[in-house]
Amino acid sequence: MASHLVDQQLLQLYYQNFHAAHPILLPLSALQGSLAEYIPAQLLTVMRYIGAHYHPDESIRDTLKARALQTTFLESSSSSSSPSSSALMDGFWVQCMLLLAICEYAQDGENRRFIDLAVDRALELGMQHASFATEHGHASPLLEEMWRRTYWELYVVDVLLSAPRHQRSALYHTQSDVSLPCDEALYNEAESSIPQGCLLKDLSEDSPQDRRFSSFAYRIDAIRLLGQVLSLPSAATTTTDNQHHEQAFADTDNALSDWQRQFPFRADDFHADSTHFGEMVFQAQMIVHSAVIYLHQPSSNLPRLWATAQPSITSRFFFIFPTVLSGKNTQQKIELFNPHTARVLHEADSLTKLLTQTHPAVERHSPFLIHGVIVGSMVYAAAYVQSPGGANNELAKQRMALAIGVLKKLAVMWPLAGTVKRELSQIYRDAVSDSA
């Protein structure tokens, strides 16, 4: 009886804290109804494992992790990467891999094994085709919507996990006719009728004034733009076709600016709000701010920082190469008239301002919030190194303190946040020390 109560509590914790950030599974109300018969035990186990991260007894995590891996892999060892022959590798198995990919990212920020397995299997199953949702939806509009959300969440997570190493995303380059997700309120009310959504190309071609799209759809479009940034060739590899590179850069920059100008949601839509709707709006803006920084930082005159001589979490991000800034002679004033530098600083400011609008229960945000914190904080640290006597030093100090505070709260659930907190603190201390 006690074990059953804990299991139920863990599922409640999953929905209370995690589902809003990655709303791909059936709403809790539907899970408690007749559709529950379609949900396999292995998926419930993975959900409980994620819910255990919000449970006060941390020992439950290890137990649930071993159990979750046993349901999907031959061995419970975290080093295992071979799917179990007894596991039914269907769409629900893909959901398990997707959820584990998010959870494992929040452990060390590096492991791609789960997302790679999920993407490969999803493409083998044909989840990129609209027919998959229909064929596996058991004539339930809610189940069909769940499958559409699963594919698009794969798309989102695959690109996000590709960003730190500036890699190409497999799903970004995959053609799909899967409709975009519906409104969060409609989905979470478990409506019996869910209208067919538009396609991704509709969102990129139509003006937002002409058609209304869900907040999840805008989050997907934000990811599309990040994928576009990651797909751009570096300037170093395009010396023979510099004009083409400049045009691709300009097109991407214009697309990002258009998105920000036409984005229909504002801060009031998620400020101090724990709803699913608000979280999608929050993530969409965070992703686009990060994408602009990824685009412009290489052409800015901000220094490339290196946290330690050893590999680190922050060193995995594209603008942090093994180049050590040592000595005061390396410092020079930031060229504010450099348009790339000005744009990066502006977006970092907007990105860190988002942190002031997080929900009081920060843990209800996606673990990928850590990604946004890193990107914004590294820009401020680089600016401090470049202009140690600048007028914005106090602002940089405040922004870093805010970032550290957010990471401290997230670290209770996600070890990656604790690691990043320590590294960013050291980077900032080094920047202050070098400028002294």
Side-chain angles (χ1 to χ4, degrees):
M1 182 66 177
S3 176
H4 174 73
L5 291 176
V6 171
D7 285 347
Q8 290 300 113
Q9 182 184 15
L10 294 176
L11 289 178
Q12 290 284 347
L13 288 171
Y14 172 91
Y15 277 100
Q16 179 182 346
N17 298 286
F18 189 85
H19 179 73
H22 301 279
I24 62 168
L25 303 185
L26 288 177
L28 181 59
S29 58
L31 191 65
Q32 296 170 337
S34 60
L35 295 181
E37 65 177 291
Y38 299 111
I39 308 304
Q42 64 175 352
L43 181 56
L44 294 174
T45 299
V46 171
M47 293 166 66
R48 292 185 184 106
Y49 165 53
I50 295 176
H53 287 78
Y54 306 94
H55 194 280
D57 184 357
E58 295 184 9
S59 65
I60 295 179
R61 298 182 193 178
D62 292 336
T63 301
L64 267 295
K65 181 175 184 177
R67 194 178 302 169
L69 293 175
Q70 285 173 348
T71 65
T72 51
F73 287 85
L74 282 171
E75 301 175 6
S76 61
S77 169
S78 60
S79 63
S80 171
S81 59
S82 300
S84 170
S85 58
S86 62
L88 183 58
M89 295 174 61
D90 57 4
F92 291 109
W93 186 87
V94 171
Q95 288 182 330
C96 290
M97 294 298 101
L98 172 56
L99 293 173
L100 288 173
I102 299 169
C103 196
E104 286 302 293
Y105 160 81
Q107 307 302 315
D108 61 13
E110 175 69 8
N111 204 323
R112 278 192 59 95
R113 62 185 174 128
F114 291 109
I115 193 62
D116 289 340
L117 286 168
V119 168
D120 290 346
R121 186 56 179 160
L123 294 178
E124 290 174 358
L125 293 171
M127 296 182 74
Q128 71 275 27
H129 301 303
S131 57
F132 181 90
T134 304
E135 293 169 0
H136 297 81
H138 300 283
S140 165
L142 205 60
L143 280 175
E144 292 178 9
E145 173 69 8
M146 179 195 73
W147 289 126
R148 290 190 289 269
R149 285 169 171 260
T150 298
Y151 175 77
W152 285 118
E153 192 68 12
L154 275 172
Y155 180 89
V156 169
V157 175
D158 188 36
V159 173
L160 284 174
L161 292 181
S162 299
R165 290 199 179 278
H166 211 69
Q167 298 170 327
R168 290 166 63 91
S169 161
L171 288 187
Y172 174 78
H173 298 280
T174 299
Q175 294 293 320
S176 173
D177 62 349
V178 176
S179 297
L180 295 172
C182 66
D183 287 330
E184 297 307 294
L186 184 63
Y187 184 61
N188 286 289
E189 290 169 3
E191 293 289 338
S192 58
S193 177
I194 296 179
Q196 279 289 319
C198 60
L199 300 177
L200 183 57
K201 66 179 181 64
D202 298 326
L203 186 55
S204 60
E205 293 174 357
D206 291 353
S207 168
Q209 286 78 20
D210 298 332
R211 197 168 183 177
R212 187 177 184 277
F213 301 96
S214 69
S215 54
F216 198 148
Y218 276 101
R219 173 173 171 255
I220 294 167
D221 199 39
I223 282 291
R224 178 187 64 82
L225 292 172
L226 176 57
Q228 186 173 330
V229 171
L230 298 178
S231 297
L232 289 176
S234 66
T237 63
T238 58
T239 54
T240 60
D241 193 9
N242 192 52
Q243 185 175 359
H244 179 269
H245 171 74
E246 291 179 354
Q247 186 60 53
F249 182 99
D251 290 344
T252 302
D253 191 33
N254 289 335
L256 287 164
S257 297
D258 288 344
W259 190 97
Q260 290 179 315
R261 184 173 59 256
Q262 297 174 350
F263 188 59
F265 306 113
R266 295 294 177 259
D268 290 343
D269 293 323
F270 61 83
H271 183 63
D273 184 5
S274 64
T275 65
H276 309 288
F277 174 84
E279 176 64 14
M280 295 293 97
V281 173
F282 182 93
Q283 286 187 40
Q285 294 196 78
M286 181 185 75
I287 291 164
V288 168
H289 289 315
S290 299
V292 176
I293 293 174
Y294 274 109
L295 179 65
H296 284 274
Q297 196 280 335
S299 300
S300 74
N301 69 326
L302 292 174
R304 293 178 171 89
L305 302 180
W306 181 246
T308 67
Q310 301 297 322
S312 61
I313 299 296
T314 47
S315 69
R316 296 169 188 163
F317 283 73
F318 80 99
F319 50 82
I320 313 167
F321 297 111
T323 301
V324 180
L325 293 177
S326 60
K328 298 180 181 180
N329 292 332
T330 62
Q331 298 167 356
Q332 56 183 354
K333 293 293 183 181
I334 292 178
E335 299 174 8
L336 291 179
F337 294 108
N338 178 322
H340 302 290
T341 301
R343 188 73 184 278
V344 167
L345 291 173
H346 174 76
E347 295 301 324
D349 186 58
S350 298
L351 188 56
T352 50
K353 280 181 180 178
L354 275 179
L355 299 182
T356 66
Q357 298 166 331
T358 55
H359 189 272
V362 175
E363 64 273 11
R364 295 187 180 181
H365 288 283
S366 168
F368 287 109
L369 175 59
I370 301 169
H371 183 141
V373 171
I374 293 176
V375 173
S377 299
M378 289 305 300
V379 170
Y380 272 103
Y384 192 100
V385 168
Q386 196 78 318
S387 295
N392 292 325
N393 282 1
E394 185 59 31
L395 177 61
K397 181 179 179 180
Q398 294 173 2
R399 296 295 193 220
M400 290 295 290
L402 176 62
I404 296 301
V406 170
L407 290 170
K408 183 177 180 180
K409 293 179 180 179
L410 289 173
V412 176
M413 288 71 60
W414 309 116
L416 174 63
T419 302
V420 170
K421 171 182 170 293
R422 291 189 294 273
E423 291 185 7
L424 286 180
S425 297
Q426 185 60 51
I427 288 172
Y428 188 70
R429 283 195 295 268
D430 290 346
V432 173
S433 176
D434 287 345
S435 65

